[in-house]
Amino acid sequence: QVQLVESGGGLVQAGGSLRLSCVASVPGRTFTNYDMGWFRQAPGKEREFVTAINWSGRNTNYADSVKGRFTISRDNAKNTVYLQMNNLKPEDTAVYYCAARSMFMGPMSSREIDYQYWGQGTQVTVSS
């Protein structure tokens, strides 16, 4: 069973930055077997895709709303994926979730349904 633990959320002013981390526990498996994604859910809204990175880190995908502001990366030696968030806006306020998807399930995906494992989420609040 893959376990994901996010950290790094908090309260920041508009225009500020935060870096989220997600550490994966993959007993008996290899972290590089998994594509990783970040999703978010704002109050009263459905969870939405933010960004994803493939198992090697060479391929990434971003939602239009965060392109140019957010950067996803991974350190496979540390079983960790990061989300660097710059120029934050109040509309970025949400609970951010880390998710893992077996690379053997097919191409990198932005669909929530394609991810098998989820973290508990970390709150990001951006004040205006």
Side-chain angles (χ1 to χ4, degrees):
Q1 184 77 2
V2 176
Q3 293 185 330
L4 305 173
V5 179
E6 303 99 332
S7 62
L11 173 65
V12 64
Q13 288 187 333
S17 298
L18 281 174
R19 188 175 83 153
L20 306 184
S21 299
C22 171
V23 179
S25 173
V26 287
R29 304 175 189 181
T30 303
F31 184 56
T32 52
N33 283 350
Y34 298 91
D35 296 339
M36 300 297 295
W38 287 96
F39 292 76
R40 66 186 181 186
Q41 187 168 21
K45 295 186 177 182
E46 294 186 350
R47 190 154 57 184
E48 64 175 4
F49 171 76
V50 176
T51 180
I53 188 166
N54 79 325
W55 66 273
S56 69
R58 293 191 182 98
N59 294 322
T60 59
N61 187 21
Y62 294 91
D64 288 343
S65 59
V66 306
K67 280 182 181 176
R69 300 188 299 123
F70 290 12
T71 303
I72 189 171
S73 61
R74 64 190 292 161
D75 184 338
N76 288 334
K78 295 182 178 179
N79 285 13
T80 302
V81 62
Y82 303 99
L83 180 62
Q84 178 66 44
M85 304 185 294
N86 298 329
N87 190 21
L88 282 160
K89 304 176 181 180
E91 51 264 41
D92 294 318
T93 295
V95 177
Y96 283 71
Y97 297 90
C98 174
R101 175 176 185 269
S102 172
M103 61 176 287
F104 302 110
M105 297 297 289
M108 192 171 62
S109 174
S110 60
R111 301 195 310 164
E112 180 180 347
I113 195 173
D114 288 336
Y115 287 79
Q116 292 89 36
Y117 304 103
W118 293 83
Q120 82 289 349
T122 185
Q123 176 71 46
V124 171
T125 303
V126 184
S127 63
S128 58

